[in-house]
Amino acid sequence: MTGPLRERDDAHALLAAQAEHVRAGGGRLVLLRGATGTGRSAVLEAAAAHATHLGLRVLRARCSPDDSALPFSSVLHLLGPVPEFADVAPGVDDRGSAARLWRLLRSYADEAPLMVAVDDVHLADAASRRWFVEAARRIDRLPVLLVVTERSQYDIDPRPAGLTHALSPSLVRTHTLAPLTDDASADLVRAAFPTASDRWTADCVRAGAGSPLFLHALFDDLVGVPPPKALPRTCAALYPGSYPAAVSWWLDNAGPTTAEVARTLAALEEAEEAEVAEGAESSEEAVADADRGTTPESRTALAALLADASGADHTRVSGWLTAMTRLGVLRPDPAGRPRYAHPLLRDAVLGGWSAARRQDAHRAVAQAMLRRGDHVDAVARQLLGSAPAGLPWALRVLREAGTVAAREARPHDAVRYLRRAIREPLPDDLRQRLLTELGSLEYACADAPAGIPRLAEALDLPADPRDQVRTAIALGTALVGRGEVRTAVAALRRLESRLAAGHADLARTLQTASALLSDQDQTIRGEAYRWLTDTAERSPELVGASGRALLVRYASTAGEIPAREAMRRLRSLLTEPADPLAEPFLLGTAAAVAQWADELDEAERLVERGLAGQHPSLLHPMEQALLDTRWDIAAARGTYAVLLAAHPGAPVRRHTGGGPANHDAHTLLALVETGRTQDARRLADTFDLRAAPDSWELNRFLYARGVLRFTEGDVAGALHDFLECGRRQSARAVLSPVVTPWRTAAAECRLALGNPQEALALAAEELRLARVWDTPRTLGRALRVLARATRGRRGLELGEEAVAVLRNSPAEAELVASLLAQGRQLTAAGERTRGRDYLREGAERAERLGSARLLAYADQALRTAGARRTTPAHTGSASLTGSERRIAELAAEGRTNTEIAELLHVARRTVETHLTSTYKKLGIRRRGELREALEE
C-alpha cells in the first residue's frame, strides 16, 4: 500500500527550482540525504516525474552492492540501456573510460536538458562514485541536473565519507529528509483507515517510528485486520509480513554491529516487559539500578552495557541511542529510558534472532552487568532468559538472588530464580538443598501442587542428615497446610527411624516437629502427645528440651499447671544448650506460653528472636506459630490498628486447607471492637466453616464469629458458636481458658437468653480453671462474668475483685469490660455515684483503646444511669498513658529505641509502637520535637 508523500514540500520545491535552472542551461548536483526508510527513493521518483513533465530527459540508475565489483557499473546503468550506445563499455584505462562516459553524457545534454537520477549512491562502485564527483565539478555549464540519494543514518560501525565530502559546498545543494512527525504519520494512517480511532492511530504512528517505509509496510499487513481490532503486538499476527520484512531490511542496511546492538536492546526490553506482565517483585536496589535510566549518565550506562554485551564501541553505541531517539525508532519512557516506540517494532527487530541467539544475548548482558557491579537481582533477571551453560558464576548469581528475594519477602522472584538454577548441572547434595528451598518458596507462593513434589523429590536425594531433617520438616509443614496431617507425621517418623541410631539429636527434633504438626488434627494430636508423655516419663533424655517445652504447653492448655510454674520450667529449658534445628521449636513454644501467662514483653522478645533465626527460603512450622503469637500479643494488648493494618480488607492467609487462619480470627475480633461490624460480617462470610478441616484455628474463628453474632444481636447463633468451639477444644484436651474463653462467652449468652443457672455453672467452671492458671487476664475475665451471673452483694464483691485483678494486667480491653460491668452492677444496686465513676473510667479507657464497641456500651450504660461521659483529653501530653509517657521521656533524653527497650525490659517493637502512638497524640513527626511537646 502506498500513499501521498508527507512533509516533503521543501525537497520538492528545491528539485523543481533546480529543474528550472537546468532548462535555463545551467547544471547542478542535488544530494538527497536521509535515514533508511525516510522516503529518499520516493522523492527521487517524484522529482523524475516532474522533470519529465517539464520536458527533461531522465536517466535513472539504482545502485546495488551486487554491482560493486564491476567498475563504472552504476554509470553504465545510466547510459548503457540507450540503443545507440549499447556497446559502450569501460576499457582497461579508468581515466580513458571516464572520459568516454563523460563525452557520452555531454552528447545527451546536447540533445536536450537532462535529469540524471541516481538512487542509493552510497552503494555505487568506487569508479562510479569518482565519476559522479568529477561530473559534479563540470556540469555547472551543462543543462544537466544530477540528483543523487545517499543514506545518512548513524550506524555503530562508521560508514565511509559521503559522495560530496571532497566537493565545495557551492557545487552541491543538499537536503536532508527528516523522519515524519507524529501529525504527518497520523494523517497517513487516517487516509489509509478512515474509521481508525485515536488510540489505534496513535499505536500505528508509534509502530511506524517516523518512517514512511515502515508505515506503508504496516498498512499492507493491516488490510486484513483493520480497526477497531487492537494493533498486534507481535509480527506473527501480521500477513503477508511486509512490516517485519521492512524492519529486517532496515537492519541489514545498518550493518551487522548495529543489528546486534538493536536486537540486544530489544531482548532486554522484552525481558523487562515480561517481568512486569508476570507481576515480578523487585528489590529497592534493583529498581534504583533500573531508574538510573532517567539521566544522561544512565544513557551512558545503558550504552556501556549494550557495548559490553555485543562487543561494540561504547561511544558509538551511545551515539546510536541518541540518533534512534531523534529518528523516532526509540522513545523515552516515563522514566526517561530509551525504549522501542512500539512493541510491534521491537518484535520485528527481534525477528531475525532465534531463541538460542536471544538466550546467548541474555547471558552476555548478565555477564556484562556482573562485571560492572549491578545489583544481583538485575543480573539474575537476565539469566532467566538464558539457557543453562554450567557456568559457576551464573549458578552463584541465581542462588544469591534467590536468597535476597526470599529475605526481602519476594517469594515469587525467589521461585523464578531457583527454578532457573535447578536447570543447571548440579551434584545431588546441592540439588537437594535447592529443591528444598524451591519447594518451600513455591508453597509460600500458594503453589502447593508444585512445592510438595519438589520437597518429596528432595527428601529422596542423598544428602547430609541435617539437610534431610530440614527437608522433612518443610515437607511436613506443606502437607499439614494441605490438610494431610497423617501423611506429614508419617514422613517425619520414617526419617526419624532411619536417624535414631546415629543421630539421636536429629531424631528428637523430628519427634518435636511431629508433635507440633499434629496440632492440626485432634486424633493425631492425642496420639502424638500420649507417646511424647510416655517417653518423657520413661526416658526424659529421649525427648529433648523442645519436646519437654511442648509438654509444658500441653499441660498449660489442659489446665494442669499454673502460669508461674509453666514459665519457670520454660525459662529453665531456655538456658539449656539447644541444637540450631531444635531451637525454633523451643522459642516458639515458650513465646506462646509467655503470651498466655501475660508476660507479653517476654513473649515479644522470644518471637523476635525466633523469627530472626528463621531461614527465609525454608518452610518451618514455627515461623507461622511465631507469627500467630505475634497476633495474639497484639490482640492481648488491644492494639487493633496493628491487627487491621496487617490484614487490609480481605483475608490474607497461609494454607489452612481452605479454612480460616489465626490472623483471620483476630482480624474479625478487631473489626468488631472498632465498630466495623459490616466488614466483620463480610470477613466471616468468606469461610464455609462446615467444609473447613479440623484445626485449632477453626476453633478460634468459631469463637470470633460468636462474638460478632452476639454484637449483631444473634444471641442464639453466638451461643451455638461458643459451645461448638468448646466442644472441639475439649476434644483436643484444651480445657484451660488461656486460648479461647468460650465458657464465659457462652455464659453471657445464657444470661442474655434468661438462663442464669446455666450461665452460673459455665462461669464457675471457668473461674476454677482460671484459678489454676492464675493470671490476671483469665482470672479477671472469669470473675467479671461470674459476678454478673451471681448478682447481689456477692456479685458486687466478685466484680470488685475482677477490676482489682485486671488493673495489674496488660489486657486493657478486659479491664474496660470489667469496669463497665461493675459500674452497671453498682448502678443497679443503687450505688449510682460509684457506678458512674466506674462507667466514666471505663468509657475513657475504651476511647483511648479505640474500642468502639465498648465505648458504645459505656455511653448506653451512662445514659441509663442518668449521666454522661466527660470528654477526656484525646491529644496533648495529658492523653498519654503511663507507659507512653515513660518511653517518650526517655526518648526525649536522647536514648535510642534499643536502649529504652533494654532499660525498661521490654521488646524494641513495644517501644516503637508506643512512640508511634505518642507522636500521633502530641501532633509531632520527629523525635526532636518530643521534649517541647511533653512540657506543654
Side-chain angles (χ1 to χ4, degrees), residues 41 58 97 140 144 147 214 289 308 401 421 440 480 482 498 508 542 560 584 614 618 651 698 779 836 865 921:
S41 299
V58 178
S97 297
D140 57 327
V144 177
V147 183
F214 292 174
D289 279 354
D308 194 357
S440 296
V480 167
R482 289 281 300 273
R498 295 204 303 267
R508 284 194 294 268
L542 296 180
E560 296 174 357
Q614 288 292 309
L618 291 179
L698 171 60
L779 191 57
R836 290 170 182 171
K921 290 180 178 180

Side-chain angles (χ1 to χ4, degrees), residues 36 151 153 155 159 214 244-263 320 340 345 348-352:
T36 301
R151 184 177 181 278
Q153 184 170 309
D155 297 318
R159 296 283 179 173
F214 292 174
V247 174
S248 178
W249 182 77
W250 173 76
L251 283 173
D252 289 343
N253 276 271
T257 307
T258 300
E260 177 86 1
V261 171
R263 286 171 173 142
W320 181 82
Y340 280 98
L345 175 58
V349 169
L350 273 175

Side-chain angles (χ1 to χ4, degrees), residues 3-16 32-47 149 175-182 184-185 188 208-216 327:
L5 298 177
R6 304 277 176 172
E7 297 184 327
R8 299 296 181 251
D9 293 345
D10 290 348
H12 294 320
L14 171 63
L15 291 166
L32 294 176
R33 304 173 71 246
T36 301
T38 50
R40 300 187 310 269
S41 299
V43 172
L44 185 62
E45 287 298 318
T149 68
H175 182 83
T176 301
L177 300 177
L180 296 177
T181 64
D182 286 355
S185 297
L188 286 172
S211 167
L213 170 70
F214 292 174
L215 266 178
H216 290 301
L327 284 178

Side-chain angles (χ1 to χ4, degrees), residues 428-454:
D428 281 347
D429 59 341
L430 180 54
R431 180 173 294 278
Q432 194 270 353
R433 291 197 295 273
L434 290 182
L435 283 172
T436 301
E437 293 182 23
L438 177 55
S440 296
L441 290 165
E442 284 174 330
Y443 180 87
C445 294
D447 191 7
I452 290 176
R454 302 259 197 216

Side-chain angles (χ1 to χ4, degrees), residues 867-881:
R868 61 180 180 178
R869 175 166 50 100
T870 57
T871 303
H874 302 296
T875 60
S877 59
S879 66
L880 299 180
T881 66

Side-chain angles (χ1 to χ4, degrees), residues 584 587-592 594-595 600-614 622-633 907 909:
L587 292 172
T589 304
Q595 185 275 132
L600 300 188
D601 288 337
E602 184 173 355
E604 201 162 42
R605 286 195 296 272
L606 289 167
V607 166
E608 298 309 317
R609 182 179 160 191
L611 289 174
Q614 288 292 309
M622 287 316 301
E623 180 177 12
Q624 187 61 48
L626 288 161
L627 292 174
D628 285 333
T629 301
R630 179 184 280 175
W631 308 136
D632 294 346
I633 294 168
R909 179 182 290 271

Side-chain angles (χ1 to χ4, degrees), residues 118 258 267 289-290 321 338 382 384 416 458 487 571 605 651 752 872 886:
V118 183
T258 300
D289 279 354
L321 290 173
Q382 292 304 317
L384 292 176
R416 295 188 311 139
T487 304
R571 286 167 180 149
R605 286 195 296 272
R886 186 163 60 253

